[in-house]
């Protein structure tokens, strides 16, 4: 038998990082696992990111890992950097899905994480909803570079509630136009995007053969001019 997935969620008591506590020995035991395909943390104690340091051998030795989900967890000041370091050292180059929602990760931290995925050529899903991607254009530049290089197989990209604005959209649109497998794009709750940004997003639909089938832009400030741009470009689109 082997462990295929690990879920850690809803801790109600704070945990101290110590060689004598429960978490330390447990994570060191997990690090010996080389067969796990899915790792899920929800409202989990990331210990300021030190949890990723303790799982260093897990990331280095596991060749099966395909899915990582971390939701509603506190990365702390250095957590994103330590997670990025763990991803960089990851033995497997076949990660398919990274979901990082509502973790309050700062813009530079998002950039570090995105850059760490540069060798993951099979990545199909990336969810950065609720991070501060848009608060630092370096994050958008890093994401654009990823989409234009190793992540060309991306099928689902979630950037809802990231604070992204027109500058970030202008950075991403050329890369989005080149994503030949992108089928689902989420840009909900990004009120900083103005008409200029929405017109740029609409231009992605201009590519007749673009594979995009689902575009979610709920709870945004989209005026009539932007709507007209969507309508104009939709006339040329045959997939959405």
């Amino acid at each position: 038998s082997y462990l295929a997935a690990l879920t850690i969620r809803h801790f109600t008591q704070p945990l101290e990082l110590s060689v004598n506590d429960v978490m330390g020995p447990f994570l060191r035991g997990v690090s010996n696992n080389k067969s796990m395909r899915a790792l899920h943390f929800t409202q989990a104690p990331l210990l300021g990111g030190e949890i990723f340091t303790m799982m260093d051998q897990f990331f280095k030795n596991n060749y099966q890992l395909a899915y990582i989900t971390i939701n509603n967890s506190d990365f702390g000041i250095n957590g994103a950097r330590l997670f990025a370091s763990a991803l960089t050292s990851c033995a497997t180059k076949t990660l398919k899905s990274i979901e990082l929602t509502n973790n309050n990760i700062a813009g530079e931290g998002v950039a570090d994480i995105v850059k760490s995925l540069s060798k993951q050529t099979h990545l199909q899903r990336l969810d950065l909803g609720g991070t501060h991607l848009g608060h630092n254009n370096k994050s958008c530049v890093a994401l654009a570079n990823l989409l234009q290089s190793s992540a060309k197989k991306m099928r689902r990209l979630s950037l809802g509630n990231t604070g992204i604005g027109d500058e970030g959209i202008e950075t991403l649109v050329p890369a989005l136009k080149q994503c030949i497998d992108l089928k689902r794009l989420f840009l909900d709750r990004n009120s900083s995007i103005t008409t200029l940004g929405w017109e740029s997003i609409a231009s992605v639909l201009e590519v007749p053969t673009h594979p995009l089938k689902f575009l979610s832009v709920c709870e945004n400030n989209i005026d009539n001019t932007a709507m007209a741009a969507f309508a104009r470009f939709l006339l040329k689109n045959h997939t959405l």
Side-chain angles (χ1 to χ4, degrees):
S1 64
Y2 60 90
L3 185 65
L6 173 67
T7 298
I8 300 176
R9 60 169 52 177
H10 302 301
F11 275 75
T12 58
Q13 298 295 326
L15 295 177
E16 297 296 331
L17 186 60
S18 164
V19 293
N20 297 316
D21 68 14
V22 175
M23 201 66 166
F26 172 73
L27 290 176
R28 283 190 286 275
V30 169
S31 293
N32 292 324
N33 185 288
K34 298 181 181 181
S35 60
M36 195 179 301
R37 289 181 52 79
L39 182 65
H40 304 282
F41 291 155
T42 299
Q43 292 184 16
L46 302 182
L47 307 170
E50 287 298 327
I51 193 170
F52 304 119
T53 301
M54 296 189 70
M55 296 180 69
D56 177 62
Q57 291 304 308
F58 167 80
F59 287 101
K60 288 182 177 179
N61 297 329
N62 191 310
Y63 286 87
Q64 304 297 322
L65 190 62
Y67 308 95
I68 299 176
T69 301
I70 306 177
N71 296 329
N72 301 298
S73 301
D74 185 9
F75 269 72
I77 297 175
N78 297 314
R81 177 179 55 80
L82 295 174
F83 179 57
S85 178
L87 289 176
T88 301
S89 68
C90 205
T92 180
K93 304 306 177 189
T94 56
L95 280 174
K96 293 182 178 180
S97 175
I98 303 287
E99 297 180 54
L100 304 173
T101 56
N102 302 320
N103 295 304
N104 197 32
I105 304 174
E108 290 189 2
V110 178
D112 289 339
I113 292 171
V114 171
K115 289 176 183 177
S116 72
L117 297 172
S118 62
K119 296 181 181 179
Q120 299 297 338
T121 57
H122 295 272
L123 195 63
Q124 297 177 7
R125 174 172 179 167
L126 181 60
D127 190 339
L128 299 173
T131 67
H132 296 297
L133 168 90
H135 295 186
N136 186 327
N137 200 51
K138 290 181 180 179
S139 301
C140 296
V141 171
L143 180 55
N145 290 338
L146 181 70
L147 294 173
Q148 290 176 307
S149 55
S150 57
K152 291 183 178 180
K153 295 183 179 180
M154 187 75 68
R155 294 186 177 183
R156 174 181 173 131
L157 180 62
S158 299
L159 304 177
N161 193 28
T162 56
I164 193 170
D166 293 345
E167 182 182 14
I169 291 298
E170 291 295 331
T171 300
L172 288 176
V173 162
L176 292 174
K177 289 182 178 181
Q178 295 181 37
C179 288
I180 59 174
D181 286 324
L182 185 65
K183 290 180 171 56
R184 301 174 71 86
L185 176 61
F186 296 81
L187 289 167
D188 308 293
R189 301 186 303 281
N190 284 305
S191 58
S192 295
I193 304 177
T194 71
T195 300
L196 181 65
W198 290 121
E199 287 181 319
S200 187
I201 285 292
S203 71
V204 174
L205 306 178
E206 183 180 19
V207 183
T209 57
H210 197 284
L212 193 66
K213 294 183 179 298
F214 184 91
L215 173 63
S216 182
V217 294
C218 299
E219 299 181 49
N220 283 301
N221 300 319
I222 303 178
D223 62 15
N224 290 338
T225 302
M227 288 297 295
F230 276 107
R232 184 171 66 255
F233 289 125
L234 277 171
L235 290 174
K236 303 178 182 179
N237 185 278
H238 305 297
T239 59
L240 192 65

